[in-house]
């Protein structure tokens, strides 16, 4: 999703629940293995996943065009997804159960083709702060569904934004909304209508940038993900995945808005939350999310 890390390894997965033949899974595995120098242990894990597909899975259907394009994309590129195998597997395990679904990804980059192909026939959109980067990525992968967006926060404001939220009623969980909520500085405003009109099943937060003072930081993305999850009208929970939790701001804001009690898995630098709607919470009033 982001361009601040050096890409070390990446892997593509396959599973019995998809219309994804073993041949296609093998091609994707080979594409990524040959496009990067990965550890033998990681490759053996990939093989073990592919081997779980029963023979009858081959005749159940065919790969989608985006999955076929993903094979070509990773086979011809030296750059592969920057989350490691175990981190990718956390989201993939959920996608196996929920796909096709509505999947919102904060960030656009080298793993975007992977996330789109792992949600075949679903709705996967990417939000990116750098319009030039959007043009660069879409030039090579025009099938991706991406929007350039503007954030109104800076990382250096993180502590002040926490204080603001605690004193601004329009930020309170019982009152919070996003579209047009200019009073709450943590609410994402001015985004595409699709962002507000879609009920998201999965939300991945791996952007915007948050490693220098003037960067937008992920404070508003985390807050807004919590608001959308609490406002869910459909059945089930909203799955929120937050990357780079080794950094202070990501961790503090996750504990404030996504809540430790909803944290179901921690792998590497990734936290996975399952957040129920406010209607299904035992207590959802007051001025705090957690």
């Amino acid at each position: 999703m982001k361009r601040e890390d050096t890409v070390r390894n990446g892997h593509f997965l396959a599973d019995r629940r998809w219309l994804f033949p073993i041949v296609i899974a093998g091609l994707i595995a080979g594409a990524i293995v040959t496009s990067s120098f990965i550890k033998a242990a990681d490759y053996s894990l990939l093989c073990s996943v592919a081997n779980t597909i029963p023979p009858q899975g081959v005749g159940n259907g065919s790969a989608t065009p985006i999955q076929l394009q993903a094979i070509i994309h990773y086979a011809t590129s030296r750059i592969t997804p920057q989350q490691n195998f175990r981190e990718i597997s956390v989201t993939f395990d959920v996608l196996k159960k929920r796909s096709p679904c509505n999947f919102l990804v904060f960030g656009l980059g080298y793993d975007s083709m992977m996330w789109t192909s792992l949600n075949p026939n679903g709705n996967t959109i990417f939000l990116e702060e750098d319009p030039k980067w959007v043009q660069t990525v879409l030039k090579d992968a025009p099938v991706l569904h991406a929007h350039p967006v503007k954030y109104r926060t800076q990382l250096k404001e993180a502590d002040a934004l926490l204080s603001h939220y605690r004193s601004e009623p329009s930020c309170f969980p019982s009152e919070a909304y996003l579209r047009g909520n200019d009073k709450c500085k943590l609410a994402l405003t001015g985004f595409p209508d699709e962002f507000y009109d879609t009920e998201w099943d999965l939300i991945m937060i791996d952007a915007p940038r948050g490693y220098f003072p003037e960067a937008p930081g992920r404070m508003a993305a985390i807050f807004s993900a919590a608001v959308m999850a609490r406002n869910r009208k459909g059945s089930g929970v909203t799955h929120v995945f937050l990357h780079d939790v080794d950094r202070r701001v990501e961790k503090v804001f996750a504990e404030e808005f996504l809540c430790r009690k909803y944290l179901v898995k921690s792998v590497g630098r990734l936290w996975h939350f399952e957040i129920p709607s406010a209607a299904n919470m035992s207590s959802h009033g007051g001025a705090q999310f957690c």
Side-chain angles (χ1 to χ4, degrees):
M1 257 95 42
K2 57 188 185 304
R3 306 174 299 285
E4 57 195 82
D5 295 325
T6 300
V7 177
R8 295 187 182 278
N9 53 13
H11 310 271
F12 230 59
L13 311 172
D15 188 83
R16 71 181 68 190
R17 296 178 65 91
W18 294 14
L19 303 180
F20 207 140
I22 294 177
V23 174
I24 298 299
L27 287 173
I28 290 180
I32 293 183
V33 168
T34 56
S35 66
S36 62
F37 298 97
I38 66 172
K39 298 179 181 178
D42 289 338
Y43 181 63
S44 66
L45 285 173
L46 180 62
C47 291
S48 69
V49 173
N51 288 336
T52 64
I53 306 176
Q56 60 267 29
V58 177
N60 284 342
S62 59
T64 63
I66 186 64
Q67 291 170 334
L68 295 173
Q69 186 166 344
I71 295 172
I72 298 173
H73 174 79
Y74 289 110
T76 57
S77 174
R78 287 183 171 272
I79 302 172
T80 53
Q82 54 258 47
Q83 287 187 29
N84 64 39
F85 178 89
R86 294 174 62 242
E87 292 169 341
I88 291 173
S89 297
V90 174
T91 307
F92 178 67
D93 286 344
V94 177
L95 283 169
K96 286 187 292 184
K97 300 174 183 177
R98 297 295 295 270
S99 181
C101 63
N102 293 321
F103 186 11
L104 174 67
V105 183
F106 285 88
L108 177 71
Y110 303 122
D111 52 3
S112 297
M113 184 71 77
M114 177 190 69
W115 292 127
T116 297
S117 66
L118 290 178
N119 186 28
N121 303 312
N123 177 30
T124 304
I125 77 164
F126 303 89
L127 305 176
E128 169 59 41
E129 64 182 287
D130 185 350
K132 291 184 179 180
W133 178 244
V134 172
Q135 293 177 3
T136 298
V137 173
L138 294 185
K139 181 180 179 180
D140 294 329
V143 296
L144 296 179
H145 188 178
H147 297 284
V149 294
K150 292 183 179 180
Y151 295 88
R152 51 183 184 144
T153 59
Q154 290 188 329
L155 183 65
K156 62 185 179 183
E157 303 169 336
D159 292 336
L161 287 169
L162 272 182
S163 298
H164 162 76
Y165 135 74
R166 290 168 180 152
S167 61
E168 173 52 57
S170 64
C171 294
F172 293 174
S174 59
E175 304 291 335
Y177 61 98
L178 300 182
R179 182 163 21 205
N181 189 357
D182 296 324
K183 290 184 178 180
C184 180
K185 296 178 181 179
L186 283 169
L188 291 175
T189 61
F191 274 41
D193 288 339
E194 184 177 15
F195 171 74
Y196 304 107
D197 296 338
T198 305
E199 188 161 273
W200 302 104
D201 303 302
L202 280 72
I203 302 174
M204 171 73 74
I205 305 173
D206 207 358
R209 292 173 295 173
Y211 57 96
F212 61 94
E214 291 74 26
R218 299 178 187 169
M219 302 83 67
I222 294 170
F223 171 85
S224 297
V227 171
M228 290 189 288
R230 292 173 64 91
N231 291 340
R232 183 180 182 86
K233 298 298 187 294
S235 61
V237 299
T238 301
H239 296 269
V240 179
F241 306 90
L242 175 63
H243 201 225
D244 295 318
V245 294
D246 55 319
R247 302 194 302 210
R248 173 183 170 273
V249 169
E250 278 80 355
K251 184 176 181 179
V252 169
F253 274 72
E255 292 177 338
E256 183 70 39
F257 299 111
L258 303 179
C259 309
R260 278 275 184 179
K261 62 184 176 182
Y262 300 133
L263 178 63
V264 296
K265 184 167 281 190
S266 174
V267 175
R269 295 183 294 146
L270 185 80
W271 279 358
H272 171 205
F273 299 84
E274 293 182 359
I275 304 177
S277 67
N280 293 325
M281 293 180 181
S282 56
S283 175
H284 55 85
Q288 293 186 332
F289 281 75
C290 303

